[in-house]
Amino acid sequence: ACALFALLRPGHELLAVAGPPYDTLEEVIGIRGSDNVGSLKDFGITYREVPLAADGGLDWDALAHAVRPETGCALIQRSCGYSWRKSLGIDDIRRTIDLIKMQNPNCKVMVDNCYGEFVETSEPPMVGADLIAGSLIKNPGGTIAPCGGYVAGKKDLVAAAAARLSAPGLGVEFGSAPGHVMRAMFQGLFLAPQMVGEAVKGGLLIAEVMSAKGYRVQPLPRAPRHDIVQAVELGNRERLIAFCEVVQQTCPVGSFIKPIAGETPGYASEVIFADGTFMDGSTSELSCDGPLRDPYAVFCQGGTHWTQWALVLGEVLKVI
């Protein structure tokens, strides 16, 4: 939200170029939820999206003429979110940015980089993105950052995002960040590539095992990875809940807890979460979740060591 409000002004259009954004951005944009809460829509910013191609990838033909003079920001969501689609690699992001800037050089490009950090050897600002944003309790927190998110990119735009977080003129000069929190954030950043590597191995194992058992998976086994998310289509509510229950039971923390599907702020559907983690919400430790709607897919991520998923899958297959 800070990044989008930094880039957009009344009269601008926000263009999502990879289909619908993740559920939690819908109320920020103003395409779901009540009016007059300070969404982009309330500030006179319009919204449009480019649907995905039939194969679940970007629609390059549509993208080639999608940008308009009033398009102030193009939003690229790197990870699949809760959509059954391919996550975007750096090469696809580079090609998308080139297409956008060719049509309107003044259009800023913001990448929702969540779950993609450190999976490849380049990050979106290195191929032309103006701003990126993500979570510090996902990949870049290395499983030990206790809280927070990040915005990175061009200096003036990062400053504009910081002004939205606090107030114009203050930016990041004020606020509470105790020393022990900063230590954990920097140590987490140092550990992050190692933890992301283990999560990628875990995703490869999930894809291999579940596809061998006849389940649709995204990405496919042994396919190149662009984020740490591995989706498995389970087909019905009961299997989705059972899968999440087993993951919770196998977690190092809170294994006695039974996850219950329910309404969660920011989400359009009932969602079930399994995340018995030392840091609350740190999905890079070991977690899975999914919305209770067709095709009843579970989205798996994390694992401080790939063998955690080996243990989970052994138990999952007994249940489903």
Side-chain angles (χ1 to χ4, degrees):
C2 288
L4 290 174
F5 276 99
L7 296 174
L8 291 157
R9 296 291 179 266
H12 278 169
E13 174 191 70
L14 171 64
L15 177 68
V17 301
Y22 191 62
D23 285 30
T24 50
L25 269 185
E26 291 178 354
E27 290 177 276
V28 174
I29 295 166
I31 53 179
R32 177 170 58 84
S34 56
D35 292 335
N36 204 31
V37 293
S39 67
L40 292 172
K41 181 181 177 182
D42 288 340
F43 283 90
I45 295 161
T46 57
Y47 172 77
R48 188 165 49 92
E49 63 189 47
V50 180
L52 295 168
D55 66 354
L58 294 174
D59 187 336
W60 298 109
D61 291 337
L63 276 176
H65 50 81
V67 181
R68 298 171 179 170
E70 67 270 22
T71 307
C73 174
L75 171 64
I76 302 172
Q77 183 172 295
R78 183 172 179 177
S79 186
C80 58
Y82 279 162
S83 300
W84 191 264
R85 73 158 173 91
K86 299 171 184 174
S87 297
L88 302 181
I90 289 295
D91 287 342
D92 280 346
I93 291 172
R94 177 193 287 110
R95 184 179 170 188
T96 303
I97 293 170
D98 289 345
L99 271 175
I100 291 163
K101 297 290 187 179
M102 197 181 303
Q103 295 169 73
N104 182 356
N106 296 320
C107 178
K108 299 293 191 290
V109 177
M110 186 244 169
V111 178
D112 179 346
N113 204 35
C114 198
Y115 290 119
E117 300 92 350
F118 303 116
V119 176
E120 298 189 60
T121 53
S122 299
E123 296 293 339
M126 301 164 72
V127 295
D130 295 291
L131 275 186
I132 59 172
S135 170
L136 290 177
I137 53 171
K138 309 292 189 284
N139 298 24
T143 76
I144 67 168
C147 58
Y150 72 89
V151 173
K154 294 183 177 176
K155 185 176 181 180
D156 59 328
L157 300 177
V158 172
R164 299 276 68 76
L165 180 67
S166 55
L170 299 183
V172 294
E173 297 302 320
F174 288 81
S176 175
H180 69 280
V181 172
M182 295 302 292
R183 182 200 63 78
M185 285 182 176
F186 281 109
Q187 187 177 1
L189 187 64
F190 175 76
L191 294 172
Q194 168 72 22
M195 296 307 177
V196 170
E198 292 301 318
V200 168
K201 292 178 196 174
L204 289 164
L205 181 65
I206 296 165
E208 195 80 32
V209 170
M210 296 306 290
S211 64
K213 294 296 181 181
Y215 292 92
R216 287 182 69 209
V217 297
Q218 180 73 263
L220 295 172
R222 310 190 192 196
R225 302 276 146 163
H226 305 303
D227 64 4
I228 65 166
V229 179
Q230 178 62 52
V232 181
E233 187 179 298
L234 295 170
N236 64 47
R237 181 187 179 98
E238 292 71 31
R239 274 198 291 266
L240 175 54
I241 291 173
F243 190 105
C244 292
E245 287 177 349
V246 170
V247 171
Q248 186 73 40
Q249 290 164 12
T250 317
C251 283
V253 181
S255 59
F256 60 91
I257 295 168
K258 182 175 182 178
I260 301 293
E263 294 184 4
T264 302
Y267 291 84
S269 308
E270 272 191 302
V271 186
I272 185 166
F273 299 90
D275 56 353
T277 54
F278 289 95
M279 296 297 174
D280 191 27
S282 175
T283 54
S284 55
E285 290 183 48
L286 181 72
S287 74
C288 72
D289 50 78
L292 276 292
R293 63 187 185 222
D294 281 328
Y296 294 98
V298 68
F299 297 85
C300 307
Q301 53 269 321
T304 53
H305 198 276
W306 68 267
T307 51
Q308 283 183 284
W309 280 109
L311 294 169
V312 168
L313 290 166
E315 296 303 312
V316 160
L317 294 176
K318 294 176 187 176
V319 174
I320 68 170

